[in-house]
Amino acid sequence: MLFTPPRKFLLSPYSKSSRIIVMGSKNFLLLKSPVAPATYACLHSLHDNSSSSSSYSLRTLIFDSYTRKCSRLFAYRKQMQLSYQRANGYSFTPYAAMPIPRPISDVESLEKQFVDDKKLMILKQKLQEIGIDGSSCMPGQYNGLVCPSCKGGESNEKSLSLHVDEDGGAAVWTCFRAKCGWKGATRAFAGVNSTYSTMNKTKTKQPIRTITEESLGLEPLCSELLAYFAERMISGETLRRNAVMQKRTGDQIAIAFTYQRNGELVSCKYRDINKKFWQEANTEKVFYGLDDIKEASDVIIVEGEMDKLTMEEAGFKNCVSVPDGAPPKVSAKEVPAEEKDTKYQYLWNCKAYTEKASRIILATDADPPGQALAEELARRLGRERCWRIKWPKKNDTEYFKDANEVLMYMGPDALKEVIENAELYPIRGLFNFRDYFDEINDYYHQSLGFELGVSTGWRALNELYNVVPGELTIVTGVPNSGKSEWIDALLVNLNHSVGWKFALCSMENRVREHGRKLLEKHIKKPFFDVRYGERVERISTEELEQGKKWLSDSFSLIRCENDCLPSINWVLELARIAVLRHGVNGLVIDPYNELDHQRPPNQTETEYVSQMLTKVKRFAQHHSCHVWFVAHPRQLHNWIGGPPNMYDISGSAHFINKCDNGIVIHRNRDPDAGPVDLVQVCVRKVRNKVIGTIGDAYLSYNRVTGEYSDIDVTGLLSKHKRGP
């Protein structure tokens, strides 16, 4: 980067001076490029460069004209080569690799940017203490080294990037191996003023201690502690086999649970009379009782050392205990890598033992932390080979907490039975019929409600179609056949008979018109007394007020008030809220073609319809909400007036393939074929034979009130054929 300082160079082309003074603003002199290091320009006289008197010491000085203070930033005795020449008699040479002064605050002087040899020496000593060899590292540069944490992996790569600050007072490092990722920072002096606001503490991994019973001062259990264990049904033989000892500290005696691997003491955990626990520092983390599962195919894992001893009293020696207790809750994060899984490092240290087991029984405590521990263990050991314990009831409201409670209150045989009846650990999405036995029993005894479906309110349909919560019914029919009217009448009947509430997503109806239709069916009177209702008494003011309250209590409206078309996801989300907030039992989506059906370019309409109907069915099942979905048939060519088929629905055959029930509503338009108020309800699909079957039913439509009623269709049709 060629600079042009805002001051003139105070040097004549014919000067014999060996020094050049450059003047410029402070901001310019301290400028640092945000993209790449700035390039210094070393200016010197043409005459100096060509002169034979090379004994002169060429120096470049930068002069700060604001502070009027001269600071030597860089001094070079080496003769510099010319890179560029100009007509004014001067030349410059760029040095991109030269160290760049960083921006500093007003309270810091320029001298602080230079390497402090004392700081650098102390910093390198600190780095050496944690295993980083910084002897060859240069300040202000990134240096590639072998990571002392992961040793560069199998390839011994230099994966550690170390950067030492320009003044040699601080360093930061990061290992870029995915399995390591070790990072940190340190500085030479803890209390020095620095532009760093915070610094990470350097963590060092302490070596594993070698311990013995003698070095820890352990001794056999005294009679008082033997009596303590006896109260908890733990025998002296079990205590001796598991090398349970004690440790005296002044007047206090603590129980010592010795952790062993291959018969050698590797750690020790203590418990005092106040149930306070602590462990020997810098010892290996392993299971308590590890040697007991060395070749075991079945392994029992409990939450505490006392429970491990308890299991042995019930005849189970193939049991181990976790060393660190239970977490307060299950972590929401993914299971970390082995090197970073510090909380459960004992699992990885004992992997050679647990990986041989084909069945692992998790007998953790019944409280929430105990269940959280079971989940954390299952995540790491593999749910597919884990089983869990269901502790028996202590009374009507409480369960036993752990194995020792069961042993003390119910005895070893009861504890043995509990372990032998361990259940498969649940895996999301994988179940057994036994998980649903209670529900099957309720279904058999019809105690769930509506197991056989709810009657539509019309006798003609009782054997064909009944409404069951959690199902999807597709309703179709040619235009103006009364599909929406029939569904409205069905909703009114269900509300009157069992008090169901509904969410209505009816895009073809204005709210006031839809309200009128529902009120007419509910009150059984016309809304107006003109045209269609001029010969019948209309709804009174008092009936209107009562009807409005009924509408408010029974129906929720899902409407898109802007110009955008609603998507199926938007409708289902609002329906979910209506279920939770208002307790609706049914959802009407009317019609399909009024929804927004944008789909990816690589997705066919058939694939889209299949995916959409799957979402609707899952919503219905999950919220136990019956869904009626109105879909129009495609344009019918050569139509002769009969009811369409479910496969005639526009879009995809999945409408009939995926629905639970398929219904075609058809109204007679030919006076010669029968009464024009005759409505044919064609049940074309019923998945559940308990609630109906395929067949046709006939209803009479009252145009004044919008009601549908049962009729003697056989007599009506025969009378129509005979004529008056």
Side-chain angles (χ1 to χ4, degrees):
M1 178 178 69
L2 173 64
F3 67 82
T4 308
R7 296 290 186 272
K8 294 182 179 180
F9 298 115
L10 304 181
L11 183 65
S12 169
Y14 304 100
S15 173
K16 297 295 184 179
S17 173
S18 62
R19 293 185 176 182
I20 299 175
I21 300 177
V22 182
M23 299 178 63
S25 68
K26 177 180 179 180
N27 292 337
F28 168 76
L29 296 176
L30 300 179
L31 181 63
K32 180 176 180 181
S33 171
V35 179
T39 303
Y40 280 83
C42 298
L43 295 119
H44 41 93
S45 170
L46 288 172
H47 298 277
D48 285 345
N49 189 60
S50 58
S51 174
S52 59
S53 58
S54 59
S55 60
Y56 288 104
S57 173
L58 178 62
R59 295 177 179 270
T60 302
L61 298 181
I62 300 180
F63 180 73
D64 182 351
S65 63
Y66 285 95
T67 60
R68 297 181 181 180
K69 181 178 180 180
C70 185
S71 300
R72 293 178 178 176
L73 296 184
F74 304 99
Y76 296 90
R77 297 182 181 275
K78 180 180 178 181
Q79 186 68 26
M80 301 187 181
Q81 297 179 355
L82 291 175
S83 295
Y84 301 94
Q85 182 172 329
R86 294 199 176 171
N88 59 7
Y90 296 100
S91 65
F92 72 93
T93 302
Y95 288 88
M98 296 176 67
I100 307 304
R102 57 179 171 81
I104 59 175
S105 62
D106 293 336
V107 299
E108 293 181 305
S109 66
L110 290 172
E111 286 82 3
K112 283 190 178 181
Q113 299 181 72
F114 297 108
V115 176
D116 187 318
D117 292 337
K118 183 178 180 181
K119 281 185 181 180
L120 184 59
M121 180 181 67
I122 296 175
L123 179 66
K124 289 184 176 181
Q125 288 177 352
K126 294 186 70 174
L127 292 175
Q128 192 69 36
E129 291 175 0
I130 59 175
I132 299 178
D133 183 10
S135 57
S136 60
C137 297
M138 297 297 295
Q141 298 182 6
Y142 286 92
N143 304 271
L145 303 171
V146 175
C147 175
S149 178
C150 65
K151 309 299 182 184
E154 297 180 356
S155 60
N156 297 321
E157 62 177 325
K158 294 183 177 181
S159 58
L160 187 74
S161 175
L162 173 69
H163 182 269
V164 179
D165 200 22
E166 289 89 344
D167 64 353
V172 294
W173 63 88
T174 300
C175 179
F176 291 102
R177 289 189 71 241
K179 291 185 177 181
C180 180
W182 182 45
K183 61 177 63 175
T186 188
R187 53 188 172 186
F189 300 111
V192 70
N193 292 329
S194 173
T195 54
Y196 290 98
S197 59
T198 58
M199 301 295 291
N200 298 329
K201 293 183 178 180
T202 302
K203 297 181 179 180
T204 58
K205 188 174 181 179
Q206 299 295 330
I208 299 297
R209 293 166 51 203
T210 300
I211 58 176
T212 62
E213 294 179 2
E214 293 76 15
S215 65
L216 299 180
L218 304 183
E219 57 188 28
L221 292 172
C222 62
S223 58
E224 290 83 356
L225 290 181
L226 288 173
Y228 168 81
F229 281 106
E231 291 178 358
R232 283 153 182 77
M233 307 287 288
I234 308 298
S235 66
E237 175 59 29
T238 298
L239 296 172
R240 285 188 292 273
R241 201 189 76 83
N242 289 275
V244 180
M245 307 183 77
Q246 68 179 34
K247 182 175 182 177
R248 294 182 183 271
T249 306
D251 296 334
Q252 300 294 327
I253 300 177
I255 301 171
F257 297 103
T258 58
Y259 283 65
Q260 301 187 20
R261 182 200 284 269
N262 296 325
E264 295 183 359
L265 185 63
V266 295
S267 184
C268 191
K269 184 175 179 181
Y270 304 99
R271 170 178 171 166
D272 64 11
I273 58 174
N274 298 319
K275 206 176 178 179
K276 179 182 178 182
F277 294 89
W278 69 96
Q279 299 184 41
E280 289 291 338
N282 302 326
T283 56
E284 186 181 10
K285 289 283 188 180
V286 295
F287 281 119
Y288 177 67
L290 180 61
D291 287 345
D292 289 338
I293 64 167
K294 192 169 186 180
E295 299 295 336
S297 59
D298 286 5
V299 172
I300 303 172
I301 300 179
V302 294
E303 192 173 325
E305 293 81 6
M306 189 69 74
D307 290 332
K308 149 66 178 169
L309 303 175
T310 297
M311 286 296 180
E312 189 162 326
E313 294 296 334
F316 300 102
K317 293 183 179 179
N318 55 327
C319 178
V320 291
S321 169
V322 299
D324 293 332
K329 61 180 181 179
V330 179
S331 173
K333 300 179 180 179
E334 294 291 331
V335 176
E338 178 179 338
E339 298 84 357
K340 298 181 180 180
D341 198 9
T342 54
K343 173 65 178 176
Y344 301 94
Q345 195 61 46
Y346 58 88
L347 279 175
W348 306 108
N349 293 340
C350 303
K351 185 177 179 181
Y353 293 77
T354 58
E355 65 182 2
K356 298 177 182 179
S358 58
R359 189 171 76 138
I360 299 176
I361 300 175
L362 304 178
T364 55
D365 290 0
D367 56 10
Q371 298 307 300
L373 174 61
E375 175 62 18
E376 293 290 0
L377 294 175
R379 293 171 70 188
R380 291 160 173 82
L381 296 170
R383 292 182 177 87
E384 67 279 359
R385 59 180 181 145
C386 287
W387 297 59
R388 68 176 180 179
I389 294 300
K390 187 175 182 180
W391 298 113
K393 276 192 172 184
K394 182 185 296 185
N395 49 49
D396 292 339
T397 59
E398 295 179 307
Y399 287 86
F400 286 107
K401 178 178 178 290
D402 54 28
N404 191 246
E405 272 197 0
V406 176
L407 177 66
M408 292 175 61
Y409 287 91
M410 301 182 68
D413 292 337
L415 178 58
K416 184 177 181 180
E417 183 179 355
V418 170
I419 300 302
E420 291 175 346
N421 291 328
E423 302 174 348
L424 287 167
Y425 196 86
I427 297 176
R428 187 175 182 180
L430 182 63
F431 303 95
N432 188 283
F433 264 113
R434 73 168 65 90
D435 301 325
Y436 297 90
F437 281 171
D438 291 340
E439 184 177 342
I440 292 174
N441 288 336
D442 292 337
Y443 186 41
Y444 175 80
H445 296 290
Q446 300 181 32
S447 57
L448 294 173
F450 314 122
E451 289 85 354
L452 304 181
V454 182
S455 173
T456 61
W458 299 298
R459 294 188 309 273
L461 280 170
N462 282 345
E463 299 300 321
L464 303 179
Y465 174 68
N466 291 274
V467 181
V468 176
E471 289 190 349
L472 168 64
T473 297
I474 299 294
V475 181
T476 189
V478 297
N480 202 31
S481 60
K483 300 181 293 295
S484 301
E485 285 277 356
W486 180 81
I487 290 178
D488 285 347
L490 174 61
L491 303 187
V492 172
N493 289 350
L494 293 173
N495 176 267
H496 288 175
S497 62
V498 293
W500 278 17
K501 299 179 180 181
F502 306 94
L504 306 177
C505 181
S506 182
M507 282 77 76
E508 289 185 334
N509 276 316
R510 299 174 68 178
V511 173
R512 65 184 186 186
E513 293 295 329
H514 205 175
R516 173 186 64 80
K517 295 176 183 179
L518 291 169
L519 286 174
E520 288 178 339
K521 294 174 177 61
H522 171 60
I523 303 176
K524 305 181 187 304
K525 292 182 180 180
F527 196 80
F528 297 111
D529 56 1
V530 296
R531 298 185 181 89
Y532 73 96
E534 60 184 357
R535 298 181 181 179
V536 184
E537 181 185 0
R538 70 179 298 197
I539 296 173
S540 66
T541 304
E542 293 78 9
E543 291 171 331
L544 176 62
E545 293 303 318
Q546 294 175 2
K548 289 192 297 184
K549 184 178 185 307
W550 172 78
L551 286 175
S552 177
D553 294 340
S554 305
F555 299 95
S556 299
L557 302 177
I558 298 176
R559 301 188 66 85
C560 189
E561 296 297 336
N562 54 27
D563 295 336
C564 300
L565 292 176
S567 67
I568 191 63
N569 291 333
W570 182 81
V571 171
L572 294 180
E573 174 60 20
L574 290 178
R576 182 188 68 84
I577 296 173
V579 170
L580 299 177
R581 176 175 290 186
H582 304 297
V584 303
N585 309 98
L587 167 66
V588 177
I589 304 176
D590 180 15
Y592 161 78
N593 62 325
E594 289 288 341
L595 296 173
D596 181 11
H597 299 301
Q598 295 186 25
R599 63 180 189 271
N602 60 345
Q603 187 181 43
T604 66
E605 184 177 13
T606 298
E607 294 170 340
Y608 166 76
V609 171
S610 175
Q611 186 181 74
M612 177 198 65
L613 292 177
T614 298
K615 292 179 181 179
V616 175
K617 288 191 64 176
R618 287 180 177 174
F619 164 82
Q621 294 170 359
H622 182 71
H623 296 285
S624 192
C625 178
H626 196 103
V627 179
W628 291 271
F629 204 149
V630 178
H632 294 310
R634 62 177 179 269
Q635 186 175 0
L636 300 176
H637 299 284
N638 303 319
W639 182 56
I640 59 175
N645 194 287
M646 293 292 295
Y647 286 104
D648 292 328
I649 297 177
S650 176
S652 170
H654 283 303
F655 279 106
I656 187 171
N657 295 338
K658 289 211 164 189
C659 70
D660 296 296
N661 309 289
I663 295 178
V664 178
I665 303 297
H666 184 66
R667 193 173 65 190
N668 179 39
R669 289 172 171 79
D670 184 5
D672 296 333
V676 292
D677 61 353
L678 186 65
V679 176
Q680 183 179 357
V681 181
C682 309
V683 180
R684 292 292 177 256
K685 180 181 179 180
V686 177
R687 190 186 302 276
N688 182 3
K689 67 180 181 180
V690 174
I691 62 106
T693 187
I694 295 174
D696 293 350
Y698 293 89
L699 302 174
S700 176
Y701 174 65
N702 186 339
R703 188 171 181 271
V704 175
T705 62
E707 296 176 90
Y708 290 78
S709 58
D710 286 297
I711 58 171
D712 182 6
V713 66
T714 304
L716 184 64
L717 291 178
S718 61
K719 180 180 178 181
H720 182 79
K721 290 179 180 179
R722 291 196 304 267

